[in-house]
Amino acid sequence: MNTKMHQNLFYKEQYNAIILGGGISGVSLALRLAEKKKKVLIIEQRPSFCWEITSAFQNQLFENESLFDASFRQSLLSAGGLRNNLIDPPIFEILVNRMLKRKNIDILLYSYPLELITKDELVIGVIIGSKNGIQVIKGNLFVDATENAVLWKQTNVDFEETQTYPVKQRIVFNGIEKRVKFPLIFENVAGVNNISVYPSVWKKEAYIEFTIPEHSISSVRLKLIDVISFVRKNIPALKSAIVTHTGFEPFPLDTSSHLKQSVVKNPYVKNLFGCGLWIIPDKWIREKNNTITGRMQLAKETAMSILNSSNSNIAIHDELFAKLLNKNRGEREKKDFTLNSDVIVAGGGTAGALAGISAGRKGVQTTIIEAGTALGGIGTCGGIHIYYYGTRGGLQDEIDSRVSKISSLFAGKYKVTGFHPEAKKFVLEQMCKEANVEVIYGSTVFGVKIKNHHICGLSAVNSKGKMNFKGKVIIDSTGDGDVASMSGVPFIIGRETDEIQHTYSQPVGHLDENGKMEVVNFDSGIVDTLDIWDLTKARCSGIIQYYKKSFNEENRLLYIAPLIGIRQSRQITGDYQLTLLDQVSGKRFADCISYTTTHYDNHLFDCENQSDEAVLWVWMLGNWIKRINCEIPYRCILPKNIEGLLIACRSASMTADAHYGFRMQNDIQRIGEVAGIAAALSIKSKKTPRKLNIELLQNELRKTGILNSKKYLLKPPIKCELSVKKLKKLLLSKDKEKFKDAVWNLSHIKDKRVIAILKDIFNSASGTLKFWIAVILAFQGFKDNKVVSELCKCVATRCNIIPEGHKTVPLWQSAIVLLGKIGKSGAIPVLFDVLTDKTANLDTLISTIRALGRIRDKSSIPVLLQLFNRTDLPHIRNYQISSRYALSQINENARWQIDLTICEALVNINKKPPLKIIQKYLNDNRGYVRRYANKICNKYAKN
């Protein structure tokens, strides 16, 4: 048996100080060390810093307390985020991110400390685990600022364990009728302790806090109904108010363990320090210091200890690191906790929650491993509490019905756009409990166990360290296909040209002028989801985009969603790869297990970098919004080269073009249910998912309501089973929609008669019809000089006809792409002319450069090289804005797209691109830019 995990092992930077834990103490310490010119890195497992305030909503300051420094406190005051010694969590989170950026403190989110690497009583590195696998970070001194002393427990220091400890949870009410000025306390009611009502920064907002004796996210969530019901009955001001959100996690009132003797500097490892409440042996003193002030005081004491210690630079080669990394690995793994289950679901998001519930209901032991603190994914934790396109039916109908029944309790007299996210969190938690599904929160899968091409287990990391899971069937619901990738399954990343993935969003909570909860969402930019550093950068940038100098009661954020809106990453290669052509033609499959109903919902505007098929569908035919649908075959969730694994997330096997429409919550929830049932049936029939009887599965899916083609499968958007004779008639029709359908069909039908008919029409046609026949012939691969000439004429005359429809462009811009597709050198002069056209926009220039690269003529080399020196080229890329609460314009300098497209064109012509240009982008701070630069380098190496 072998364990596989991502192996981009050693991070290039070496830090003066690495702080593990980004709570109040960790951030305060980082700021103090940065002031002393230390190069500092903070590593935090959560999606945000200072979790005590931003996640658990503990927002009380004592009189005249400073937060970090006087400057930060003043910024908070000016922005409206501090009143009466109360902090507004979203404003605080925005300002913390801005401050860390200004102080040049490096940050890494979504990452857990796993293990220290030591040599001669010194720590020389720390192994971190994340969704990208493991990585070693090198440094000169290390600080354990985690809540559970994960790293200190790997030394010989004595700890005393705490069996159980209480936690408190907050519920946020808005639209209250009378401002809460003082805390109201009710003891031991509704099955919980100490229900209290606290004022907020805002007049119409209040916090409800309650305590339970055990540290359990599930237990806390399942108490919400009782607490909210009690509050509505007993506090008149909150009777009709709306519950807008709850704390993303409960706040612990003690630690799970603590030192037997207080010490800041580790007595056994010279450069390891502690900065957590666990340093304090006395319970009363720990509780006293378990405040914002107390945690900042811990940072002050740790900083003094560090600055008074002598710490020298440590230089260790990666080869030695590798040896130390493997030393005694087997002995350490024996100490890891192992949990057995029939079905293991990696990820409890949109699909994973339903996968777990449906498997559990079939009577098989099921465990969900979830990185966050709630089930439901983007709909509950990501602020997108609406359904867009997609197909309803199945288990999700039951979930929606149960959510609807309790929504009034959450909403009060107010309304919610879509469904209430907190109600859905509760329902999913409740249904998991009913199905005996174990949910393990705050845990991220970073490795897999494979035996004889069969996946049999997972390795995960959480705040307490590493856990191993053994399972009979694994369901990958990570969203990004992490488990499949770790298992060696092939995949594609983003679109084929530059591997750019769909735009991401950073949603927030908000109320409209009538108190209705609305969805606030916009495109924040691009992110490489396979790079944890770039994911961190995207999260922080998305938060900062909401910065304003001042917020007020009417124009404020309720919360910043802890889950950013990732739309795309990997597409796993399965036994079948669904395509846009399948969706457009309404294709049906013998192994159908679901349906997709959608449109080509790609938010990126640079269609020249999409497939030729996308250029035809969107730019030329204007079909961006046109409804498309088809069946989903079981083979799409069966990853190649591995047994015992099912894919139940947006990473199912399909092309990038097909994915743009498939990613909707309705469709993903359906896939989750299918995978859960398939996993349970596989276990009961003692067969792998690949060998499962498809008719057995389909029968079960008919019972649950997933399969019902008469009810859910729409008519094909385009009739594709037409005779060539009929298509010719449609092509000559004056009906615009029929004409467009004919163009699409004739471009894809592989029949010699089509070429013959098109050539006849082309030779006798003129004007626009002649152009469209040339388009069809280009898609058919017909490389005739007359066709090239017709397309060149369109470009040369800058034919400005814009087809009707969504996101279309002038015909001459599309014709450039087709000239590249045909690949004949006769098009080069007109393409050179475009490159000198000062009116050509960014997308036109990129499409022209890409076309020259596809033609592969060496005469293009000097012209392409000259472009590197041009400073007048358009280079600003705008992103889709649908929120008045973010900056007025989200854009970036996209000169990298031009330069790297030139580099790739040169590689296609077998010319080595300029090293200076490539090196610049290999070192870019944007992961997706580095990815494209690496793709070009690998392509040149293969040539």
Side-chain angles (χ1 to χ4, degrees):
M1 183 183 295
N2 67 312
T3 299
K4 292 186 178 183
M5 54 193 76
H6 292 303
Q7 292 293 342
N8 184 15
L9 197 55
F10 300 105
Y11 186 60
K12 59 183 178 181
E13 298 287 345
Q14 179 157 332
Y15 291 91
N16 299 130
I18 296 176
I19 300 171
L20 288 307
I24 292 288
S25 297
V27 170
S28 299
L29 177 59
L31 291 168
R32 289 178 179 274
L33 296 180
E35 286 177 0
K36 301 299 181 180
K37 308 301 181 184
K38 302 288 186 183
K39 185 176 176 60
V40 182
L41 170 68
I42 308 174
I43 300 176
E44 169 56 41
Q45 68 191 48
R46 299 172 178 86
S48 59
F49 296 102
C50 302
W51 64 271
E52 299 94 331
I53 298 173
T54 59
S55 187
F57 301 161
Q58 298 302 302
N59 66 334
Q60 176 71 57
L61 280 179
F62 295 116
E63 189 70 30
N64 297 321
E65 267 186 334
S66 179
L67 263 172
F68 307 127
D69 56 37
S71 173
F72 183 84
R73 182 186 178 95
Q74 185 55 49
S75 296
L76 198 58
L77 278 166
S78 299
L82 180 61
R83 291 191 181 95
N84 301 319
N85 292 313
L86 297 170
I87 302 167
D88 179 68
I91 296 177
F92 175 86
E93 188 168 0
I94 293 167
L95 294 180
V96 164
N97 276 276
R98 292 184 81 242
M99 177 180 64
L100 291 173
K101 184 176 182 179
R102 291 200 308 269
K103 300 289 186 180
N104 294 315
I105 295 173
D106 284 0
I107 51 184
L108 182 61
L109 299 172
Y110 311 105
S111 302
Y112 296 79
L114 264 174
E115 187 178 324
L116 293 171
I117 304 176
T118 58
K119 184 180 186 295
D120 301 330
E121 297 183 347
L122 287 174
V123 183
I124 60 174
V126 62
I127 304 172
I128 61 168
S130 72
K131 68 191 299 300
N132 291 163
I134 65 170
Q135 194 170 51
V136 176
I137 312 291
K138 295 172 279 187
N140 297 321
L141 68 88
F142 298 79
V143 181
D144 188 339
T146 64
E147 292 297 299
N148 298 306
V150 175
L151 298 179
W152 270 55
K153 288 181 179 177
Q154 295 176 21
T155 67
N156 294 320
V157 180
D158 287 334
F159 277 84
E160 186 171 307
E161 299 297 321
T162 304
Q163 293 300 318
T164 60
Y165 55 95
V167 296
K168 56 184 178 181
Q169 172 72 0
R170 285 200 156 183
I171 306 171
V172 187
F173 279 75
N174 270 276
I176 61 176
E177 296 175 354
K178 185 178 180 181
R179 183 170 190 173
V180 175
K181 296 183 178 180
F182 305 102
L184 304 173
I185 299 175
F186 303 83
E187 294 186 357
N188 305 325
V189 293
V192 300
N193 301 325
N194 304 323
I195 294 181
S196 307
V197 186
Y198 290 94
S200 162
V201 169
W202 311 104
K203 292 180 181 180
K204 298 180 181 180
E205 184 175 82
Y207 292 97
I208 307 301
E209 186 173 88
F210 64 94
T211 304
I212 67 169
E214 58 178 326
H215 187 221
S216 166
I217 290 173
S218 295
S219 297
V220 164
R221 185 155 291 120
L222 291 172
K223 290 292 184 182
L224 289 180
I225 293 290
D226 292 336
V227 174
I228 294 170
S229 297
F230 173 84
V231 166
R232 292 207 186 278
K233 291 177 182 178
N234 292 277
I235 305 174
L238 301 180
K239 183 177 182 180
S240 59
I242 182 172
V243 174
T244 50
H245 54 300
T246 64
F248 304 143
E249 63 181 302
F251 184 78
L253 297 178
D254 200 356
T255 58
S256 60
S257 57
H258 56 83
L259 292 177
K260 291 185 177 181
Q261 183 176 353
S262 181
V263 60
V264 173
K265 185 175 181 180
N266 191 290
Y268 302 103
V269 183
K270 297 178 181 178
N271 60 339
L272 177 61
F273 299 82
C275 191
L277 288 173
W278 45 266
I279 287 174
I280 306 170
D282 186 272
K283 179 178 175 63
W284 184 83
I285 298 176
R286 280 201 309 278
E287 291 177 351
K288 184 180 178 181
N289 281 272
N290 196 11
T291 63
I292 294 172
T293 305
R295 288 170 179 256
M296 286 194 292
Q297 182 62 32
L298 282 172
K300 182 179 179 180
E301 294 170 4
T302 305
M304 290 175 61
S305 179
I306 290 172
L307 296 173
N308 290 332
S309 301
S310 57
N311 295 290
S312 57
N313 292 335
I314 304 168
I316 303 292
H317 294 296
D318 286 351
E319 291 79 6
L320 179 56
F321 263 109
K323 291 180 181 178
L324 294 170
L325 179 65
N326 293 320
K327 185 181 178 182
N328 299 324
R329 171 58 60 84
E331 289 300 316
R332 288 193 297 270
E333 287 190 347
K334 289 179 182 179
K335 299 177 183 179
D336 297 335
F337 176 72
T338 300
L339 185 148
N340 296 322
S341 189
D342 290 332
V343 176
I344 301 174
V345 184
T350 309
L354 276 77
I357 294 167
S358 58
R361 285 184 168 186
K362 287 293 180 183
V364 296
Q365 187 181 9
T366 305
T367 301
I368 296 176
I369 307 170
E370 167 55 33
T373 57
L375 298 170
I378 194 70
T380 58
C381 305
I384 313 301
H385 45 88
I386 56 171
Y387 293 129
Y388 187 46
Y389 278 65
T391 306
R392 306 302 305 279
L395 180 59
Q396 61 184 325
D397 284 351
E398 179 187 342
I399 292 170
D400 292 342
S401 176
R402 291 174 69 158
V403 169
S404 179
K405 287 179 181 178
I406 63 170
S407 287
S408 60
L409 179 64
F410 284 84
K413 72 175 184 180
Y414 295 95
K415 295 182 178 180
V416 179
T417 300
F419 53 84
H420 198 298
E422 294 296 335
K424 188 168 183 177
K425 286 180 190 177
F426 175 86
V427 167
L428 292 174
E429 194 77 54
Q430 188 179 53
M431 292 176 73
C432 278
K433 184 178 181 180
E434 293 167 356
N436 296 315
V437 176
E438 181 176 10
V439 183
I440 300 177
Y441 286 113
S443 302
T444 297
V445 173
F446 71 90
V448 300
K449 293 189 181 298
I450 307 291
K451 185 176 182 180
N452 298 327
H453 303 290
H454 193 292
I455 185 170
C456 51
L458 303 173
S459 294
V461 60
N462 56 31
S463 61
K464 295 181 180 179
K466 180 182 173 184
M467 294 178 68
N468 292 320
F469 296 83
K470 292 182 179 179
K472 297 175 182 176
V473 176
I474 311 295
I475 299 176
D476 186 342
S477 291
T478 59
D480 299 329
D482 294 332
V483 173
S485 173
M486 294 172 192
S487 303
V489 177
F491 56 86
I492 59 174
I493 306 168
R495 57 196 186 193
E496 184 179 355
T497 53
D498 52 15
E499 296 187 348
I500 291 297
Q501 300 156 48
H502 206 168
T503 55
Y504 79 96
S505 63
Q506 175 54 73
V508 295
H510 196 269
L511 296 175
D512 69 11
E513 60 274 12
N514 298 314
K516 180 181 179 181
M517 277 182 68
E518 61 179 350
V519 172
V520 178
N521 186 31
F522 64 95
D523 291 348
S524 300
I526 302 171
V527 60
D528 182 358
T529 58
L530 278 61
D531 183 335
I532 200 71
W533 296 85
D534 205 48
L535 197 60
T536 297
K537 178 177 175 292
R539 166 69 174 174
C540 297
S541 298
I543 291 170
I544 292 172
Q545 284 170 357
Y546 285 101
Y547 171 72
K548 292 181 180 181
K549 290 185 178 179
S550 180
F551 292 83
N552 55 50
E553 186 85 44
E554 287 70 36
N555 189 18
R556 62 183 174 92
L557 309 180
L558 296 171
Y559 61 88
I560 296 173
L563 191 67
I564 65 175
I566 300 297
R567 295 186 174 97
Q568 181 187 32
S569 56
R570 298 182 185 91
Q571 299 304 140
I572 297 303
T573 304
D575 291 354
Y576 184 84
Q577 186 182 49
L578 199 74
T579 67
L580 176 62
L581 183 58
D582 291 337
Q583 294 172 330
V584 171
S585 60
K587 191 166 182 177
R588 308 189 73 166
F589 299 92
D591 59 338
C592 166
I593 44 87
S594 189
Y595 317 102
T596 177
T597 305
T598 184
H599 71 102
Y600 184 82
D601 192 20
N602 178 9
H603 292 199
L604 293 163
F605 292 99
D606 55 340
C607 202
E608 75 279 3
N609 291 313
Q610 303 294 148
S611 68
D612 293 333
E613 197 167 60
V615 170
L616 178 62
W617 185 253
V618 179
W619 267 9
M620 305 195 76
L621 298 179
N623 286 332
W624 182 82
I625 198 65
K626 189 163 189 171
R627 185 73 66 95
I628 53 179
N629 63 86
C630 69
E631 295 182 339
I632 304 293
Y634 183 51
R635 288 165 291 162
C636 282
I637 66 172
L638 292 173
K640 281 186 176 296
N641 305 337
I642 195 77
E643 295 295 332
L645 181 63
L646 289 162
I647 302 294
C649 58
R650 61 174 177 264
S651 287
S653 180
M654 58 191 64
T655 64
D657 285 329
H659 168 269
Y660 292 131
F662 170 77
R663 61 188 171 79
M664 309 308 173
Q665 288 185 59
N666 279 322
D667 289 340
I668 301 300
Q669 287 181 152
R670 285 173 137 264
I671 292 296
E673 181 180 358
V674 170
I677 293 173
L681 293 177
S682 294
I683 290 168
K684 290 185 174 184
S685 62
K686 297 182 180 181
K687 294 182 178 180
T688 65
R690 179 169 275 105
K691 294 179 180 178
L692 180 66
N693 184 322
I694 187 61
E695 292 182 0
L696 177 65
L697 174 59
Q698 288 173 328
N699 286 337
E700 289 298 316
L701 297 178
R702 290 186 186 97
K703 293 176 185 177
T704 67
I706 284 284
L707 286 186
N708 187 332
S709 59
K710 292 182 179 180
K711 184 176 181 180
Y712 296 120
L713 189 61
L714 305 179
K715 292 181 179 179
I718 290 182
K719 293 182 179 180
C720 295
E721 297 180 358
L722 300 174
S723 66
V724 175
K725 183 178 180 181
K726 177 68 173 177
L727 288 171
K728 177 183 176 182
K729 184 178 180 181
L730 293 178
L731 187 65
L732 301 176
S733 168
K734 293 183 179 180
D735 186 304
K736 293 180 180 179
E737 288 302 313
K738 291 180 179 179
F739 174 80
K740 286 164 54 174
D741 291 355
V743 170
W744 174 265
N745 272 312
L746 289 168
S747 297
H748 289 85
I749 294 175
K750 301 303 177 184
D751 189 324
K752 292 181 180 180
R753 292 176 299 165
V754 172
I755 299 293
I757 291 171
L758 292 173
K759 283 173 63 178
D760 288 342
I761 300 175
F762 180 79
N763 290 330
S764 61
S766 60
T768 305
L769 178 60
K770 193 177 188 72
F771 168 80
W772 282 106
I773 302 301
V775 168
I776 300 169
L777 288 169
F779 270 91
Q780 285 285 356
F782 189 63
K783 300 179 182 293
D784 185 82
N785 288 331
K786 291 181 180 180
V787 172
V788 174
S789 177
E790 180 64 26
L791 295 172
C792 283
K793 183 176 73 172
C794 179
V795 176
T797 59
R798 304 294 191 267
C799 179
N800 208 33
I801 296 174
I802 301 177
E804 292 182 5
H806 289 74
K807 299 192 177 184
T808 54
V809 297
L811 291 181
W812 74 276
Q813 190 174 336
S814 301
I816 292 171
V817 176
L818 298 181
L819 288 172
K821 179 177 177 62
I822 293 172
K824 298 206 68 161
S825 58
I828 289 178
V830 75
L831 295 177
F832 283 176
D833 180 60
V834 173
L835 294 180
T836 62
D837 186 342
K838 297 298 178 66
T839 66
N841 63 23
L842 175 62
D843 293 325
T844 302
L845 291 175
I846 292 174
S847 61
T848 304
I849 296 164
R850 195 170 291 285
L852 289 170
R854 296 175 79 176
I855 293 173
R856 301 172 184 262
D857 192 293
K858 291 186 177 181
S859 65
S860 299
I861 293 174
V863 176
L864 291 171
L865 290 173
Q866 288 173 10
L867 290 175
F868 288 124
N869 301 319
R870 291 265 303 273
T871 59
D872 61 336
L873 299 178
H875 58 274
I876 299 300
R877 173 73 64 199
N878 296 323
Y879 294 106
Q880 178 172 296
I881 304 297
S882 58
S883 167
R884 65 182 184 277
Y885 305 106
L887 295 176
S888 58
Q889 185 64 62
I890 307 297
N891 56 48
E892 74 163 345
N893 185 336
R895 177 67 196 231
W896 65 272
Q897 280 193 302
I898 295 176
D899 289 347
L900 288 179
T901 305
I902 296 170
C903 289
E904 186 172 23
L906 291 170
V907 169
N908 288 342
I909 307 171
N910 207 24
K911 168 68 177 177
K912 185 176 182 179
L915 181 61
K916 183 179 179 181
I917 300 293
I918 283 289
Q919 197 62 50
K920 172 185 175 182
Y921 293 115
L922 285 172
N923 295 323
D924 197 276
N925 68 346
R926 295 163 292 186
Y928 51 91
V929 175
R930 296 193 300 271
R931 174 172 292 282
Y932 188 21
N934 271 300
K935 179 179 184 287
I936 294 167
C937 289
N938 293 335
K939 190 173 184 178
Y940 182 77
K942 289 179 181 179
N943 288 352

